[in-house]
Amino acid sequence: MAVSVVLLVGAGLFLTSFYRLQGVETGYQPDRVISAEVFGNFTRFKSADDFRRLYVPIVERLERIPGIVSASVASAVPLGSEQMYMDTYVRIEGKPVVPKESGPTSGITIATENYFDTLRIAIVKGR
């Protein structure tokens, strides 16, 4: 009986948390946005210019389709299932330089210039 009560309380708390999670502001507006994955041949496309020659015509063709307001390409989408971030090491001004392996890192997402407009992400001034 005690185990059943614990399980019911746990399930109730889980459902309450899930319900509240649905209302969390994500920072972008996913309604009327479609995403698709396009993989380039990494043996053929080795430089940023090679990838630009692949993806820019795709974006231009998409933007010519009636009803499409904006199109962009990025290496990762917000809250996507598989993020393709590249990590880079960060040097903090005023702090001693540490070996790269033990220093802080930051994720980088590569995107076309209208990425924020496409997802309607507000750019907020910050630190």
Side-chain angles (χ1 to χ4, degrees):
M1 184 71 160
V3 173
S4 297
V5 170
V6 169
L7 287 174
L8 284 173
V9 169
L13 291 172
F14 173 75
L15 289 174
T16 303
S17 297
F18 184 73
Y19 177 75
R20 287 184 182 164
L21 187 61
Q22 298 296 318
V24 171
E25 179 63 39
T26 59
Y28 77 104
Q29 297 176 13
D31 58 311
R32 299 185 315 158
V33 173
I34 297 173
S35 67
E37 294 183 63
V38 178
F39 297 100
N41 182 345
F42 290 103
T43 59
R44 185 172 159 212
F45 301 101
K46 296 182 190 262
S47 70
D49 287 331
D50 292 337
F51 279 103
R52 198 171 292 116
R53 282 192 293 274
L54 171 67
Y55 291 120
V56 168
I58 293 172
V59 170
E60 290 171 349
R61 286 180 65 193
L62 286 171
E63 287 178 334
R64 286 194 301 264
I65 297 173
I68 293 185
V69 177
S70 179
S72 63
V73 173
S75 60
V77 294
L79 304 177
S81 61
E82 187 174 322
Q83 302 295 328
M84 293 192 54
Y85 292 114
M86 292 185 295
D87 287 329
T88 185
Y89 296 99
V90 178
R91 182 178 177 277
I92 301 172
E93 188 174 326
K95 299 279 184 179
V97 178
V98 295
K100 287 185 176 182
E101 295 78 29
S102 62
T105 61
S106 176
I108 297 173
T109 299
I110 299 171
T112 55
E113 63 222 24
N114 56 346
Y115 175 75
F116 294 105
D117 293 333
T118 301
L119 291 179
R120 297 184 304 275
I121 296 174
I123 300 176
V124 181
K125 184 176 181 181
R127 296 188 283 168

